[in-house]
Amino acid sequence: MKIEVLLMPIINKIKSNLMSPHELQYLNYRKKSVETKTILLEGTHGRGIEGHIFSLAAELLENYPDYNFFIAVRDLEKVPAMFAKHCIKHMSRQYLYYLATAEILINDTSFWAFFHKRPEQKYYLFWHGTPLKCLGKATEVQGYGNVQRNLASADMVFVNNTFTKDRLAEDFGISEIVDNEFVVAPSPRNSALFDTSNVVKGRYVYMPTWRDDKQDLSELKNHLKKLELGLKEGEELFVKLHPYEADNLNINEMNLNHVKEFPENQEVYHFLATAEKLITDYSSIMFDFAVTKRPVILFTYDQEEYESTRGMYFSTKELPFEQVKTVGDLLAVLREESSENFQELNQCFNPLDTADGTKEVVAFLLKDQTTITQIQRYPQWNGKENVLIYAYKFDNNGITNSLLNLLEKVDLKKRNYILTWPEGLITKEREEVIRQLPKGVHTFIESGKTQASLTELLQTFAYMAELPAVKETVARMYRRDFDRIYPNLKIADFIHYPGYDRSYAVWTWALKPLGIKTMIFVHTDMEKEFAINPALKKKIIFEAYRSADHVVCVSKSIGEKIKHLVPESKVTVMNVLLNPERIRQLANKPLPEQIPQRLLQDFSDNRIKVFINIGRFSKQKGLDRLITAFEGVLDPNTRLVIIGSYGPEETAIQQQVKDSIRTEDI
C-alpha cells in the first residue's frame, strides 16, 4: 500500500505527459520511408474540401495521374464523388501514416501541434485569404504558437499579394529568422471565380464573418427573417455561416422560401461564381470575389462595436464596396445597378489571379517551372545567426529586469535574438513586458506536448529524478522535439537565462551535437539555493555547468563559487546591467498613491533612517530574519520598507509584519 502511494504521483505525471495513441502512432510512422510522388492535402483540419484544397486536388486529378494524392476529411460521407477514391478520414491511422510519409504536404490552415515535418518532406501552406482582421502579434502576445510554428515549418507559404505576405511574416513573427520562403502567386481558389458562364441573375450569397463563440444568433435570425420578407420573386439569398455558427443555427428549419442554406453538395467558390452579388461584412471573401468585378455589399450593422473590439488592419470605409447598416438599405442596394470599379483593389490584392492560376501554381510545385515570371519568391531569413533565449515567465523580478536591460544594450543588428516560452506560460499581467520589448527582438512560442515514446519518457523522468538513466535516449527526445518546436530556425546559440529550469538545463548538452553553442546564467549563490529549494536538482544543474560553452555568472563572488563547485565549467563573469535612462524616467514620475503618507514624511525627515529591501517573497531572501533583526533595533527613528512583487512566502511575511512588535514601523 505504501509503495502504491509513493508511485501514484509518478504514474500520474507519466500519464499527463504521455502522448495520445494517435500521436504515438504518428511518431512510430515517422520511422518509415517517405513515399515519393505522394501528396497529402488538408483543409481547415479536415472540416471539408473547398477553396484552395478543392482547386489543387481537382488539378491533380485531371493532369497529374502519376501522383498519388489523399485528402483528409472528417466526414467521408460528404465528400464530392470525384474525390471519393482519394479521401481518407482525418486523424485515422491512414491519415497519420501519410502525414508521416507523404513526400508533399499541403494545408490551408495548419496541422495539429504534434506534426513534425521530416527533412525529406516538402510542406506547402496556402494561406486562406487576405486578412482584414489583425492576426497574431497584432492582437495578442500568445495563443497563436501552433500557427506560427506551421508557417515556420512550411517550405513555402503561398499568398496572392504582398500585403498578406508582410502581415503574416511580421505578425506571426517569422520575418528575418526563418529559413523558408513566401511565394506570391495566383490564388488557386480564385481561379473558379473567373467562370462567368453560369451567373444566375437574382442569386445573392451572404457570407458573414464569425464574431466569437459567444455570439447571440437571435440578431442574425432577425436579419434573415426581414430579408425573407423583402426579397421578391426570382430572388434567392444563399447563406453560408461559419461552421461554429452553422452548428447552432439550422436555416432550413426556419421555413423560409427566398433565404436558403448554402448547398452542401457545391464547392464554395464554384457556387460563388454563379452569384450575381456577394454580401459579407469583414470577411476576406470580399477581396476574392472582387476578381469577378461583380458587386460586393458590406452589411456592417455593428461596425463601430466590431472595430472597437477586434483589431483591423484598416477600416472597411477605405474599401470601394457599398456599405449598409440596415436590412432595408441592403435590399435597396441589391436592386441597384453597380457602378463600382475594383481595378485598383484587384491590382493590390489579386494582381496575379487568372482562370489558369491553379494550373500555374501546381506546375510551379511539381514541374519546377520556376521560370513562371509572375510567381514571386521572398526568402525570410536575413542570414544572421539566430540566438534563442529561454526567459521563463517574465516575472517581475531581478532576472527579468536584467534580461530586459541586456536586450536594450546588445547590438540587435549583429544577430537575431529570439525569446521563447511555452504557450500560455506568461500571465496576462506580464504580457505587457513582451509588447514593450525593444524593436528588433523576436519572439517564438513553444507549442504542443513534447514528443516522446514511453521509453524516452521513462528515461527522462528517471534522469530528472537524478536516478540512473540513458542520457542519449533523453537527448534524442529533446533534439527531435527541438526540431519540431523551432522548424527552419537554424539556431546557432541557445541561452538558458534564468538558469534554474531542469528541462532547459538539459538543452545545454543535448543540443550540442546539432552544432548549437549553449550558455547558462547563474544569478545567485546556487549552493544556498540547493539547500533551501529541494525542487532544484544539483546533479542536473551541475551537469549543465560542465557541458555549456559558457556559464555566465552575474558577479565575481558567484563566479568563484561555481569554479569551486564545478571546476570543469567555463565560467564568465558579467555583472548585471542597469538601465540608467529607465531609472531616470521612473524617478521623474509621481510617487505611487499606495505609499503611506507617514512614510513620505519619514523620507523627508533627516532624523529618520529608512532601510529598504527589494526582493521576491521567498525563503532565499531571508525576509523573516530581516524582520527579526529589525525588531532588535532600539532606535525608534528607524523604518523598514519591504518591496516585493510575488513569492511563496508572501502570506507568511505579511503575517510576521502584522504580529511584529514594530509593526507600525515596517
Side-chain angles (χ1 to χ4, degrees):
M1 186 65 181
K2 289 182 178 179
I3 294 176
E4 289 180 5
V5 171
L6 290 171
L7 287 177
M8 280 309 295
I10 299 174
I11 293 171
N12 290 333
K13 194 166 185 179
I14 291 173
K15 284 182 178 179
S16 65
N17 285 274
L18 187 62
M19 297 172 71
S20 65
H22 66 259
E23 291 173 324
L24 286 169
Q25 189 70 59
Y26 171 71
L27 192 61
N28 187 52
Y29 284 145
R30 289 185 80 253
K31 301 172 186 175
K32 296 187 176 294
S33 300
V34 168
E35 297 192 6
T36 58
K37 289 203 168 184
T38 301
I39 304 173
L40 176 67
L41 302 99
E42 178 183 324
T44 58
H45 302 297
R47 289 195 179 92
I49 305 175
E50 57 187 39
H52 292 319
I53 302 304
F54 183 98
S55 298
L56 294 168
E59 175 65 12
L60 291 171
L61 185 67
E62 182 178 359
N63 294 314
Y64 294 86
D66 52 331
Y67 278 83
N68 293 319
F69 73 91
F70 303 92
I71 311 170
V73 290
R74 296 184 184 184
D75 190 347
L76 291 174
E77 295 181 1
K78 293 183 178 180
V79 302
M82 61 190 288
F83 297 134
K85 295 180 180 179
H86 295 271
C87 290
I88 57 177
K89 189 169 180 59
H90 188 254
M91 298 308 294
S92 66
R93 281 177 174 265
Q94 193 178 17
Y95 166 80
L96 297 169
Y97 173 79
Y98 285 115
L99 184 63
T101 63
E103 180 187 16
I104 296 173
L105 304 168
I106 296 176
N107 205 314
D108 70 356
T109 311
S110 63
F111 291 112
W112 290 127
F114 67 85
F115 163 67
H116 180 189
K117 186 183 83 71
R118 298 165 65 179
E120 307 95 316
Q121 292 180 303
K122 293 293 182 184
Y123 177 19
Y124 304 125
L125 198 159
F126 287 79
W127 191 255
H128 48 279
T130 298
L132 177 64
K133 296 167 287 186
C134 290
L135 303 169
K137 291 196 294 185
T139 62
E140 55 189 349
V141 166
Q142 48 194 345
Y144 57 85
N146 189 48
V147 177
Q148 180 186 42
R149 192 184 66 85
N150 269 262
L151 287 167
S153 183
D155 295 276
M156 294 181 178
V157 179
F158 284 78
V159 294
N160 70 326
N161 57 70
T162 56
F163 171 81
T164 303
K165 169 186 73 70
D166 294 341
R167 294 281 54 81
L168 292 181
E170 181 65 28
D171 291 338
F172 283 110
I174 67 170
S175 176
E176 298 186 338
I177 63 174
V178 176
D179 188 19
N180 68 357
E181 292 182 314
F182 270 86
V183 179
V184 177
S187 166
R189 68 186 187 184
N190 285 0
S191 296
L193 297 176
F194 287 89
D195 182 3
T196 60
S197 61
N198 297 309
V199 179
V200 179
K201 186 167 180 60
R203 174 176 288 178
Y204 316 127
V205 171
Y206 180 31
M207 299 178 69
T209 195
W210 180 60
R211 274 124 176 102
D212 58 53
D213 55 5
K214 300 181 182 67
Q215 183 183 1
D216 182 4
L217 296 178
S218 59
E219 189 170 27
L220 176 59
K221 291 175 71 173
N222 187 43
H223 288 156
L224 297 181
K225 289 176 181 177
K226 288 182 178 180
L227 286 166
E228 170 68 22
L229 293 174
L231 290 170
K232 299 178 181 178
E233 191 67 31
E235 292 181 316
E236 54 185 358
L237 176 69
F238 289 89
V239 183
K240 181 167 178 58
L241 301 176
H242 188 280
Y244 295 146
E245 293 172 327
D247 290 340
N248 298 310
L249 178 60
N250 190 325
I251 295 173
N252 291 333
E253 292 179 354
M254 294 177 64
N255 297 317
L256 306 175
N257 182 30
H258 297 289
V259 177
K260 305 172 182 178
E261 193 171 290
F262 200 92
E264 278 192 358
N265 61 345
Q266 297 272 356
E267 194 278 322
V268 174
Y269 279 72
H270 284 76
F271 186 81
L272 195 57
T274 70
E276 181 187 357
K277 298 183 180 182
L278 170 70
I279 306 165
T280 185
D281 40 29
Y282 319 104
S283 170
S284 64
I285 194 70
M286 67 176 82
F287 300 106
D288 292 347
F289 194 75
V291 302
T292 68
K293 302 177 183 177
R294 301 197 288 274
V296 176
I297 304 162
L298 304 185
F299 183 28
T300 54
Y301 58 88
D302 60 348
Q303 182 170 357
E304 286 73 21
E305 178 187 357
Y306 188 87
E307 291 190 4
S308 67
T309 58
R310 184 67 163 89
M312 301 176 74
Y313 289 119
F314 49 85
S315 173
T316 55
K317 296 173 184 177
E318 300 177 39
L319 297 168
F321 305 130
E322 287 275 6
Q323 296 187 58
V324 296
K325 296 189 181 300
T326 68
V327 173
D329 289 342
L330 175 58
L331 288 164
V333 171
L334 281 173
R335 287 155 191 151
E336 291 177 356
E337 287 295 324
S338 173
S339 58
E340 299 105 324
N341 185 334
F342 299 153
Q343 182 176 352
E344 186 176 342
L345 181 138
N346 280 325
Q347 285 177 347
C348 181
F349 297 114
N350 307 304
L352 307 179
D353 290 350
T354 66
D356 292 327
T358 304
K359 293 182 180 296
E360 293 173 3
V361 168
V362 177
F364 173 79
L365 290 180
L366 303 185
K367 294 183 178 180
D368 194 27
Q369 293 191 1
T370 53
T371 56
I372 300 177
T373 55
Q374 66 267 36
I375 292 181
Q376 303 150 4
R377 304 169 68 166
Y378 296 87
Q380 288 305 293
W381 188 30
N382 59 17
K384 299 176 184 178
E385 277 192 1
N386 283 340
V387 180
L388 185 70
I389 305 173
Y390 170 63
Y392 192 48
K393 294 163 58 175
F394 292 90
D395 284 325
N396 187 13
N397 59 24
I399 292 177
T400 297
N401 287 322
S402 67
L403 174 59
L404 296 177
N405 291 340
L406 181 63
L407 293 173
E408 289 283 355
K409 293 295 182 182
V410 74
D411 185 356
L412 297 176
K413 295 179 181 179
K414 189 174 181 180
R415 296 179 179 86
N416 300 319
Y417 291 89
I418 307 165
L419 297 180
T420 189
W421 66 91
E423 183 84 84
L425 183 67
I426 300 174
T427 63
K428 287 290 181 184
E429 295 75 24
R430 297 299 295 168
E431 286 186 349
E432 191 59 32
V433 178
I434 304 299
R435 294 188 183 95
Q436 294 178 359
L437 287 171
K439 186 174 176 58
V441 175
H442 305 269
T443 60
F444 203 95
I445 304 168
E446 293 181 44
S447 62
K449 185 185 293 186
T450 301
Q451 285 192 334
S453 66
L454 181 58
T455 299
E456 291 169 339
L457 202 59
L458 290 171
Q459 291 291 334
T460 301
F461 279 135
Y463 180 80
M464 292 302 175
E466 298 183 319
L467 297 172
V470 181
K471 283 179 55 181
E472 182 49 38
T473 301
V474 177
R476 183 176 65 242
M477 179 197 73
Y478 277 115
R479 284 195 293 270
R480 182 179 61 242
D481 209 54
F482 187 86
D483 185 63
R484 178 191 66 83
I485 299 169
Y486 308 108
N488 290 326
L489 260 69
K490 296 189 178 299
I491 302 298
D493 302 86
F494 166 69
I495 300 175
H496 184 351
Y497 196 81
Y500 298 109
D501 190 295
R502 286 177 288 168
S503 293
Y504 296 90
V506 172
W507 287 16
T508 59
W509 52 267
L511 300 181
K512 295 188 79 172
L514 302 177
I516 296 174
K517 297 186 290 293
T518 61
M519 181 185 301
I520 185 168
F521 272 70
V522 189
H523 298 273
T524 188
D525 186 329
M526 293 302 293
E527 195 170 33
K528 292 181 179 179
E529 287 281 349
F530 291 133
I532 294 172
N533 188 354
L536 287 174
K537 300 298 182 183
K538 181 189 294 187
K539 182 178 178 181
I540 294 171
I541 300 299
F542 280 7
E543 183 156 23
Y545 293 165
R546 281 191 290 271
S547 305
D549 292 289
H550 299 282
V551 179
V552 182
C553 301
V554 299
S555 72
K556 185 177 180 180
S557 61
I558 291 175
E560 292 301 322
K561 177 65 74 71
I562 297 301
K563 286 179 183 177
H564 171 70
L565 295 172
V566 190
E568 310 96 310
S569 60
K570 302 176 184 68
V571 170
T572 299
V573 175
M574 187 184 77
N575 292 322
V576 173
L577 290 178
L578 299 178
N579 187 338
E581 181 57 35
R582 181 166 177 265
I583 294 172
R584 280 191 286 269
Q585 290 173 357
L586 292 173
N588 289 326
K589 288 186 176 183
L591 290 169
E593 293 180 1
Q594 62 263 39
I595 295 181
Q597 187 63 34
R598 181 191 168 197
L599 182 56
L600 294 176
Q601 293 170 355
D602 289 342
F603 277 141
S604 59
D605 190 334
N606 291 332
R607 295 170 300 172
I608 295 176
K609 293 180 180 179
V610 181
F611 300 96
I612 300 176
N613 182 87
I614 303 174
R616 68 185 187 275
F617 294 104
S618 65
K619 206 73 177 171
Q620 296 93 318
K621 299 302 179 181
L623 294 176
D624 54 342
R625 291 181 286 121
L626 175 63
I627 295 167
T628 301
F630 181 69
E631 290 171 341
V633 178
L634 300 179
D635 184 355
N637 291 324
T638 53
R639 307 286 183 265
L640 173 62
V641 178
I642 297 174
I643 301 175
S645 57
Y646 72 101
E649 300 290 314
E650 182 175 2
T651 302
I653 295 301
Q654 287 178 340
Q655 187 61 46
Q656 186 179 356
V657 171
K658 185 178 179 181
D659 297 338
S660 173
I661 59 173
R662 297 203 61 185
T663 183
E664 295 298 323
D665 298 323
I666 303 176

